[in-house]
Amino acid sequence: MEEKELIRAAMEARQRAYAPYSDFLVGAALLTESGKVYQGCNIENASYGATNCAERTAVFRAVIEGEIRFSAIAIVGGMRDKELTYAYPCGICRQVLREFCEPERMWVIVARSETDYKKRTLSELLPESFGPDFAG
Ligand code: THU
């Protein structure tokens, strides 16, 4: 799976963002180790705190399908009808991704277009992290 394809899938997902309160539309495409792609968008709520980020929407869709090992995620975000920004994942989403990957080998791609993007490992975005090896 090429980065471009994953970014394209994130852009498609962003079209379904439900964000009438912030108008900040986010799409994500999560690549599993087995090569499948799960899309997610942000889903807001009139009770603002009940909002779910695009990244977690994608993770939860993958998990319910039995996929719990991830290798990359592409994220696109920006205000409605404005140009895309580099939409880095929030702290909660970084931690949720951490549960299901090897942080040094998990790529987080934040894209403004198919060719304009930044690529970081999850361990760069969430250093010295707490993971499943420590808990339970
Ligand atoms: N949002 C995401 O979908 N992902 C992030 O990592 C950061 C924020 C959404 C949540 C909310 O719907 C909107 O962006 C503004 O915070």
Side-chain angles (χ1 to χ4, degrees), residues 32-34 36 38 59 62-70:
T32 68
E33 283 185 358
S34 61
K36 292 183 188 138
Y38 291 90
V59 169
V63 172
I64 194 64
E65 298 295 335
E67 294 285 344
I68 57 167
R69 300 309 300 169
F70 310 143

Side-chain angles (χ1 to χ4, degrees), residues 106-125:
M106 170 75 184
W107 290 105
V108 178
I109 297 160
V110 292
R112 301 184 65 176
S113 76
E114 282 176 27
T115 50
D116 176 6
Y117 59 86
K118 292 181 190 289
K119 189 176 162 183
R120 304 276 184 267
T121 62
L122 186 64
S123 62
E124 287 178 281
L125 300 181

Side-chain angles (χ1 to χ4, degrees), residues 18-19 22-27 41-45 51-56 75 87-91 93:
Y18 178 76
S22 73
D23 260 354
F24 192 79
L25 311 181
V26 188
C41 61
N42 53 334
I43 304 171
E44 297 190 342
N45 193 277
T51 291
N52 202 62
C53 291
E55 298 90 324
R56 273 177 290 148
I75 305 160
Y88 284 95
C90 80
C93 289

